[in-house]
Amino acid sequence: MSKELTKAYVAAFNAKDLQAVADMLHDDVVLEDPGVVHIEGKSKVVDAVKAIFDGAAHLSFEAKHIFVDGNASIIEFALDLDGTKLVGTDVVIWAGDKIKELRAYVYAKAA
């Protein structure tokens, strides 16, 4: 899968561009995230992303590294939500140019 698609996802999330993120999601997308546990379906995942965007006046999502292998991308990231600093990885499984699965592993950043 293209590293450029992964970079586009990071840029859209960082910009809090809900429409751009939604456009990248497969209709049958599955999201696993510590905050939401397990969500299936594009509309439900869009709602979860919207809640993240709406809940943070300031959001910064920075990819430290992006690794691509076949149809999988791994993003090592730093996330800042209103001063709460988190680090983690996203495992993204692509179906063509759409995100089919997104598994987030997030940790509080040590001081």
Side-chain angles (χ1 to χ4, degrees):
M1 183 65 343
S2 168
K3 188 180 258 191
E4 296 308 312
L5 276 175
T6 306
K7 288 180 180 180
Y9 164 73
V10 170
F13 197 94
N14 184 58
K16 293 172 68 171
D17 186 340
L18 186 62
Q19 187 60 56
V21 172
D23 289 346
M24 299 185 82
L25 299 176
H26 191 280
D27 288 342
D28 298 322
V29 65
V30 174
L31 170 65
E32 293 184 13
D33 179 282
V36 296
V37 185
H38 182 93
I39 298 175
E40 295 183 23
K42 184 174 182 174
S43 65
K44 290 179 182 177
V45 171
V46 169
D47 288 345
V49 173
K50 183 178 186 311
I52 293 168
F53 290 173
D54 290 349
H58 168 77
L59 180 149
S60 172
F61 183 64
E62 178 186 359
K64 298 296 187 178
H65 297 97
I66 296 173
F67 304 95
V68 177
D69 184 25
N71 69 333
S73 300
I74 299 172
I75 307 164
E76 179 185 13
F77 65 82
L79 176 63
D80 184 324
L81 298 169
D82 291 332
T84 299
K85 299 194 184 308
L86 305 167
V87 295
T89 55
D90 280 343
V91 177
V92 182
I93 306 300
W94 297 89
D97 62 350
K98 302 292 184 188
I99 296 171
K100 179 74 172 165
E101 296 179 38
L102 177 59
R103 294 187 300 273
Y105 303 91
V106 183
Y107 312 91
K109 185 173 181 176

